[in-house]
PDB file of all heavy atoms in Angstrom:
ATOM      1  N   GLY E  12     -44.066 -49.758  38.438  1.00 98.00           N
ATOM      2  CA  GLY E  12     -45.327 -49.378  39.077  1.00 98.00           C
ATOM      3  C   GLY E  12     -46.054 -50.583  39.657  1.00 98.00           C
ATOM      4  O   GLY E  12     -46.592 -50.529  40.767  1.00 98.00           O
ATOM      5  N   VAL E  21     -52.583 -45.414  40.681  1.00 99.00           N
ATOM      6  CA  VAL E  21     -52.705 -44.877  39.316  1.00 99.00           C
ATOM      7  C   VAL E  21     -54.163 -44.916  38.855  1.00 99.00           C
ATOM      8  O   VAL E  21     -54.697 -43.929  38.345  1.00 99.00           O
ATOM      9  CB  VAL E  21     -51.780 -45.655  38.340  1.00 99.00           C
ATOM     10  CG1 VAL E  21     -52.043 -45.264  36.899  1.00 99.00           C
ATOM     11  CG2 VAL E  21     -50.313 -45.434  38.701  1.00 99.00           C
ATOM     12  N   ALA E  33     -62.025 -48.480  29.943  1.00 98.00           N
ATOM     13  CA  ALA E  33     -62.855 -49.253  29.023  1.00 98.00           C
ATOM     14  C   ALA E  33     -62.325 -50.671  28.810  1.00 98.00           C
ATOM     15  O   ALA E  33     -63.037 -51.543  28.303  1.00 98.00           O
ATOM     16  CB  ALA E  33     -62.959 -48.527  27.678  1.00 98.00           C
ATOM     17  N   ALA E  97     -44.385 -31.896  36.721  1.00 98.00           N
ATOM     18  CA  ALA E  97     -45.026 -30.957  37.648  1.00 98.00           C
ATOM     19  C   ALA E  97     -45.460 -31.669  38.927  1.00 98.00           C
ATOM     20  O   ALA E  97     -45.776 -32.861  38.910  1.00 98.00           O
ATOM     21  CB  ALA E  97     -46.238 -30.320  36.963  1.00 98.00           C
TER      22      ALA E  97
END
Side-chain angles (χ1 to χ4, degrees):
V21 171

